[in-house]
Every structure is written in C-alpha cells, then in structure tokens.
Amino acid sequence: MTSYLLRHLQVLFYSLGQLARTPFASLVTVAVIGISLALPAGLYVLLDNMQRVSGAWDGAAQLSVFLKRDVSERAGLALAQKIRARPEIASVNYISREAALAEFKRLSGFGNALNALDGNPLPAVLAIRPASPHADAATLARLGKDLQAMGEVELVQLDLDWIKRLNAILDLARHGVWLLATVLALALTLIVGNTIRLAVLGRRTEIEIIKLVGGTDAFIRRPFLYSGLLQGLGGALCAWALLALVLALLAAPVQELAALYGSRFELRGLDVSAGLALLALGALLGWLGSRLAVGRHLRAIEPR
Amino acid sequence: MIQLSNVCKRYPGGHEALKNVSLALADGEMAFLTGHSGAGKSTLLKLIALIECVTSGQIMVNDKNLARLARRRIPYFRRGIGVVFQDNKLLFDRTVFDNVALPLVVCGVPHKEIARRVRAALDKVGLLAKEKMPPITLSGGEQQRLGIARAVVNKPPLLLADEPTGNLDPELSDQIIDLFHDFNRHGVGVLIATHDLRHIERLKLRRLTLKDGAIVQDSAA
C-alpha cells in the first residue's frame, strides 16, 4: 500500500516537472481554465451577495394583524400570547387601540382631525415578526392565512409581492449561473482534453516503447491524469485569486454606495468551503478532460 | 515455448507476409530465423510479441494462446518476452540507466531492486560505466547492447531479436550474438532474425529459413 502511494507521489512530482518544463504553455492553459472558472464563480459570488441583501429585506417582512374592534384588550393580549407560542414567530407586539391612536396622532399630523371624531376609529394591531430572517414568501403566506382564519382577526396585511418578484429574479439568475457554469465546465474539459491530447501525441514514441516493454494503459495514463488534474487545480487557484482581486477592487465603491443607502453592507468573497469546492471542481474537471482525451488516444497508439 | 500452427498473415491491401507457417521452439532453445528481407522474418517476430495479430492460424507463447488473450492482458504477456529491435527503440530523453529501468518501473519493482537489477544488466552488456549518459552519446554497438540490457533486465524466459547486428561491423556483431548465446546458456529461449549467415555457421545452431512468407528449411545446422 505504501509503495502504491509512493509510486503515485512519484508520478505526481513527475507530472509537475513535466508542466514546469514548458512553463509558458502550462501557464496559458492554467490562465484559460482560471478565466473560464472565474466567470461562473464570480456570478455565484454576486448572487450570494444579492441574496444577503434581499435576505435582510426578507427579515424585515412584518405581518400586521388588525383585530376586530370588539376584541377586548385582554383578549388581544391573550391572542398575542397564543401566537407568540408558535415556533415560526420571533416576536409579537400588541399595539392597543389607544396606543395605535397615539402613534397615529404623533406620526400622521392628523391629530386634531381625529379629535373631532367621537370614538377611536383604529383597531388594535399585532405586529408580528417571523422567526427566521430568511422566512420565504410561501411560509409567510401560510402564516398569514392561518392568522386570517382566527376569529378575532379582522385583516392580515402582508406585502409579499415585491419579495416574490425579487426572489423570482434571483431564481432566474441562479438558473442562468448554473447553465453558464455547465457550459463553461464543458469548455474547460475540452481545453484540458486538448492540451492532454497534444501531450499524448507529443510523447507517442515513449508511449509505444512503454507498451512494448509491458506497461499497462493505467501506467501510461497516470502521468497524464495527474497533469490534467494539476492544470485544473492550478486553474481553480487562478480563478480564486482573480475573484479575490476583482472583489478587492470593488470593495471601496460598493462600500460607498452602501453608505449612501445607510447600510454597512460589505461585499463578501468566496468563503473557504466554497473556495475548496471550486478547487475540487477544477481538479475534477481537469482529471475528467484528460481521462477522456487519453482514453481516446491511447488506444490509437500501438507499437508497430 | 513457441508454437505456431498454420499461421497466415495478410496485411490490408492484400500482401501476404506469412503463408501457412508452422514451427515450434522448445523451452530454452536458441534458433536463427533467416531469409531475404521481405521474407517475413520481422512479421513472424511481431506476431509472437503480439505487436501484430494473425489473420488465421494459432500461436502459443509461454503456454498462452495469443488469440484468446484479452487486450488488457497484453502488457502482462509482453513482460514475459524480451524484444530487441533493429532500431533499438530507445528513449533519448532519458539516461542509459532509466532506459534499462523502464521494464522494471512498469512492473512496479521497488526502487532498490531496480537499481540492483539495472546495474547487473548493464554490467552484463559492458555499459555499467555509462549508466548516467544519454543514449545519444553511445555508439551504434553500444546502443544495440543497451537495447539488449533492457530486453533482459526483467529476466524474461524468451528473447526475440530483429536484426540485432543490422549495421554493425563483424567483430561487434559477433559480440552481440555471443551475448545472446550466453543468455541462452542460462536457460533463456532465443529467436534471432538475421540475414547474416556467418553467425549460423559459427555457432551451429538451429536455423529456420523463410522465403516469400513460408518456411523452406528447418535445420539443426
């Protein structure tokens, strides 16, 4: 087992050496892979950031439950208590009819007009915040329906349309990113495949001789697979670096823009796990591309 | 060791290189395969090393029926045969040592063992002093001996050689053939294709003569 690992390690270093022998060609390949990976990765980061922005808005989603006018304060508080017990609710704030009136007077500037009325026209309100800051539209809608069904409730108001629309746009963008990523992954596989194909053809004589002295296909394939894997990995590293660079360049303008909206929003790059996933994906695609190319061309090279 | 029964080989285009050839070479036997160029010597060796496939007939080598050998088993089969080529087929971007080590490396022989056996093989052909040199710096005779060292390094029971003395002067070619004879005395089966009749008369070994793809003479000279 150790000798098996040792042999693989030797092949790994041998492949690294081969790549280092043609630094320019290797760098160009790695750069091309890097750019084709950076594109979908960059869009992913963009979406991730947009989701965080819209997530903050989602969290602000609040349900206003207007109670029937004949519901007493005690009954209202009891209802608030009951709703607060539900798991999907973060907080319930009971605003009594008097408090509502006071607030309305203070905020609307119609205080005097209200004085002219003989009674308090305002109902009591329960201001409800859902527990999860990322509560999605469907959950909120279901909650609203449940509340509406309660006997004490006159009206549930929740404005979800814009959240729905935004989510739909994000969803569309996400699908777009996946499609683009798939196409670029295919391109990347072909790029690596082509590089490896040239490498295979360039070492035709060597392959022939190795076959003559009894080298198996797996033995011949191994250095090419490592070479493809290393190129994919290098490309992914390049993409990560490229992305970090772009984000660093954008950080200041984004902060400025956010400041204008009174937000402390900051661009977030790839976190470690997403970065590692990118590296793994690059390596995998590199391996796959070289596997396809080598498999096809190895059979064609037979000693004569 | 080698048994051919009614072997025919026809190349695409219709050229018939071998016609109904049957022969047998016993374990540890040494024989020369002669004939004019184009008589089918190389084709015969290629069929035995499974570099080419028969059109019809059957070949048994090292107790294996070549027609029934799965493609993925071919490398393992080839490890049992040392082949010396007329053009040597050396790797010119690797040292003498690495060229000889190749058959051991592909078998996954441990590092220390490789060094020991490569040096033994190089010593045998008199190239030990040049192990670190690139093959391009060697003379024609030395390159030929390097090819032989590579063919014998993993101690195959059978050696095939295609014109191993092709363009060497008589003294050098005697050395090469004597080298094969020496391996044969240690129990290795040897089949040498050559058009140099001098060796055959010198060593008094079995001689198989091919003409136009057929065996016309089989004599224990």
Side-chain angles (χ1 to χ4, degrees), chain A residues 194-271:
Chain A
N194 195 44
T195 325
I196 297 297
R197 183 182 68 90
L198 290 176
V200 169
L201 295 180
R203 292 170 60 193
R204 210 191 164 97
T205 338
E206 187 180 341
I207 292 172
E208 258 181 53
I209 292 171
I210 293 175
K211 281 194 173 185
L212 278 174
V213 300
T216 56
D217 282 359
F219 176 88
I220 299 169
R221 208 154 41 210
R222 213 169 288 146
F224 291 111
L225 294 185
Y226 270 108
S227 173
L229 186 135
L230 286 172
Q231 285 176 33
L233 192 65
L237 268 174
C238 176
W240 199 350
L242 211 63
L243 215 56
L245 180 74
V246 168
L247 289 174
L249 290 175
L250 286 181
V254 164
Q255 223 163 4
E256 224 167 282
L257 183 69
L260 291 177
Y261 280 95
S263 152
R264 296 160 64 95
F265 177 77
E266 269 178 37
L267 272 183
R268 193 167 64 183
L270 281 183
D271 54 30

Side-chain angles (χ1 to χ4, degrees), chain A residues 7 14 206 209-217 219 299 302-304, chain B residues 46 51 71 75-76 78-79 85 89-91 94 102-103 105-106 150:
Chain A
R7 239 179 297 153
Y14 171 76
E206 187 180 341
I209 292 171
I210 293 175
K211 281 194 173 185
L212 278 174
V213 300
T216 56
D217 282 359
F219 176 88
R299 255 165 200 276
E302 282 296 339
R304 271 163 299 162
Chain B
K46 282 180 179 172
I51 296 169
R71 192 184 174 280
Y76 303 98
R78 287 202 183 123
R79 290 174 192 180
F85 301 91
K89 294 204 187 292
L90 300 175
L91 289 169
R94 302 192 189 187
L102 193 61
V105 173
V106 301
R150 188 182 65 191

Side-chain angles (χ1 to χ4, degrees), chain B residues 151-217:
Chain B
V152 299
V153 73
N154 61 348
K155 302 198 175 101
L158 176 63
L159 273 177
L160 303 176
D162 191 3
E163 301 283 3
T165 61
N167 29 28
L168 302 178
D169 59 50
E171 198 186 330
L172 275 174
S173 69
D174 281 0
Q175 276 179 23
I176 301 277
I177 297 297
D178 287 345
L179 202 51
F180 280 112
H181 202 194
D182 195 35
F183 288 124
N184 177 244
R185 276 201 291 269
H186 287 87
V188 180
V190 181
L191 183 60
I192 301 175
T194 180
H195 57 258
D196 192 348
L197 300 175
R198 230 166 34 80
H199 304 302
I200 301 159
E201 273 145 32
R202 197 165 59 87
L203 288 174
K204 307 278 182 244
L205 288 165
R206 183 176 170 198
R207 169 184 179 181
L208 297 152
T209 310
L210 276 169
K211 192 179 179 195
D212 294 332
I215 300 257
V216 292
Q217 188 197 11

Side-chain angles (χ1 to χ4, degrees), chain B:
Chain B
M1 169 129 311
I2 303 177
Q3 183 152 18
L4 278 74
S5 321
N6 308 107
V7 168
C8 292
K9 174 65 184 178
R10 190 179 299 113
Y11 283 107
H15 173 62
E16 208 166 16
L18 291 176
K19 295 167 194 158
N20 207 25
V21 171
S22 297
L23 66 87
L25 196 75
D27 272 6
E29 194 180 354
M30 179 163 173
F32 287 106
L33 188 64
T34 64
H36 295 294
S37 63
K41 301 189 296 286
S42 294
T43 302
L44 191 63
L45 292 186
K46 282 180 179 172
L47 290 178
I48 295 169
L50 211 50
I51 296 169
E52 303 266 8
C53 291
V54 293
T55 310
S56 67
Q58 180 182 296
I59 303 181
M60 300 283 289
V61 179
N62 294 344
D63 300 322
K64 289 196 180 67
N65 183 347
L66 299 197
R68 295 228 189 97
L69 208 59
R71 192 184 174 280
R72 60 186 178 81
R73 301 298 310 170
I74 292 177
Y76 303 98
F77 164 76
R78 287 202 183 123
R79 290 174 192 180
I81 304 177
V83 187
V84 179
F85 301 91
Q86 189 174 2
D87 60 352
N88 295 322
K89 294 204 187 292
L90 300 175
L91 289 169
F92 288 99
D93 59 344
R94 302 192 189 187
T95 61
V96 165
F97 181 97
D98 287 344
N99 267 280
V100 178
L102 193 61
L104 301 175
V105 173
V106 301
C107 297
V109 174
H111 202 68
K112 268 189 184 158
E113 179 78 2
I114 289 182
R116 197 179 63 72
R117 283 164 72 173
V118 168
R119 298 217 165 91
L122 283 174
D123 191 31
K124 186 92 197 143
V125 300
L127 286 176
L128 192 53
K130 310 207 167 184
E131 61 167 313
K132 293 205 175 66
M133 295 175 117
I136 201 77
T137 60
L138 303 184
S139 69
E142 284 172 332
Q143 290 189 9
Q144 197 72 56
R145 281 185 279 152
L146 175 56
I148 295 171
R150 188 182 65 191
V152 299
V153 73
N154 61 348
K155 302 198 175 101
L158 176 63
L159 273 177
L160 303 176
D162 191 3
E163 301 283 3
T165 61
N167 29 28
L168 302 178
D169 59 50
E171 198 186 330
L172 275 174
S173 69
D174 281 0
Q175 276 179 23
I176 301 277
I177 297 297
D178 287 345
L179 202 51
F180 280 112
H181 202 194
D182 195 35
F183 288 124
N184 177 244
R185 276 201 291 269
H186 287 87
V188 180
V190 181
L191 183 60
I192 301 175
T194 180
H195 57 258
D196 192 348
L197 300 175
R198 230 166 34 80
H199 304 302
I200 301 159
E201 273 145 32
R202 197 165 59 87
L203 288 174
K204 307 278 182 244
L205 288 165
R206 183 176 170 198
R207 169 184 179 181
L208 297 152
T209 310
L210 276 169
K211 192 179 179 195
D212 294 332
I215 300 257
V216 292
Q217 188 197 11
D218 183 351
S219 66

